[in-house]
Amino acid sequence: MTAQPSTINDFFAITNTMFSIPVYQRNYTWSKDNCAKLLEDIINISKNEKTHFMGSITYILHFIDDDEKQSLRKLQEFVIIDGQQRITTLMLLLKAIETKTQDEISRLLGLPKKQTETQKKLRLKPLKRDKEAFDLVMQNRWTEIQGKSHIRENYKFF
């Protein structure tokens, strides 16, 4: 096992990569307080232009065939051993930013809201128990999530 320092931006920028949460991991449980602290850290980093240790992300690398594209390049799967709560939260934050900026730009330009692309391949494969809520958020259908959901609540928070 080797440890390498990296930024979260570099981690997410790796192409042909899917992040997978194994079944033995716990459900997504971060509260609004956890999200607020993470957002505060991100804001402080941007103001100070310094780095900040956001914790380690431990994963096992697998190569899988991407049958849909039938390309020569294999898809990498990072099976997340540690860091799934942070990765899921950062994906929710990125989606909230994307939705807000897309809606705002569309409003400023007077364009109709973009239709969701349900066939779009998501990069995070959450646990089965969190998958429906996560997929609905990524499809801009978060209001359809039934019952208690940390995914919905934290997306709304961002």
Side-chain angles (χ1 to χ4, degrees), residues 106 110-115:
S106 294
L111 301 173
K113 286 188 178 183
K114 183 179 176 184
Q115 298 296 314

Side-chain angles (χ1 to χ4, degrees):
M1 182 187 302
T2 60
Q4 299 175 5
S6 180
T7 66
I8 199 70
N9 191 39
D10 291 341
F11 185 73
F12 282 138
I14 301 170
T15 58
N16 295 323
T17 303
M18 172 181 269
F19 307 104
S20 179
I21 313 294
V23 296
Y24 54 81
Q25 290 287 4
R26 65 186 168 127
N27 284 346
Y28 179 71
T29 59
W30 266 29
S31 66
K32 287 181 186 176
D33 290 340
N34 297 114
C35 294
K37 177 65 176 137
L38 179 65
L39 189 57
E40 181 183 317
D41 287 345
I42 291 170
I43 291 168
N44 287 336
I45 292 165
S46 69
K47 287 179 182 176
N48 299 327
E49 297 182 12
K50 294 181 180 179
T51 59
H52 175 76
F53 181 69
M54 295 182 71
S56 62
I57 296 174
T58 308
Y59 60 89
I60 298 171
L61 175 62
H62 288 273
F63 291 98
I64 54 178
D65 291 324
D66 189 358
D67 294 334
E68 290 177 19
K69 293 185 181 177
Q70 301 206 356
S71 67
L72 297 175
R73 291 191 290 177
K74 291 194 179 235
L75 184 65
Q76 296 182 100
E77 180 181 30
F78 286 18
V79 179
I80 306 300
I81 306 303
D82 182 43
Q84 73 105 333
Q85 301 287 314
R86 278 169 284 137
I87 288 173
T88 303
T89 303
L90 288 168
M91 290 281 196
L92 293 172
L93 173 60
L94 290 171
K95 179 60 181 176
I97 292 168
E98 185 260 348
T99 300
K100 180 64 177 168
T101 57
Q102 184 179 60
D103 288 349
E104 188 65 18
I105 289 169
S106 294
R107 186 187 66 76
L108 291 172
L109 294 175
L111 301 173
K113 286 188 178 183
K114 183 179 176 184
Q115 298 296 314
T116 59
E117 298 175 35
T118 55
Q119 273 68 36
K120 194 182 277 186
K121 193 165 192 170
L122 299 176
R123 293 188 67 201
L124 178 65
K125 182 180 173 188
L127 288 174
K128 189 175 185 178
R129 295 176 297 268
D130 295 325
K131 185 175 182 348
E132 181 181 0
F134 188 79
D135 288 351
L136 287 171
V137 166
M138 294 300 136
Q139 295 169 13
N140 294 323
R141 296 170 47 207
W142 61 273
T143 56
E144 298 175 29
I145 299 171
Q146 301 294 313
K148 181 173 172 56
S149 169
H150 290 285
I151 297 228
R152 178 189 56 229
E153 295 306 313
N154 292 336
Y155 175 71
K156 281 175 44 180
F157 169 78
F158 289 128

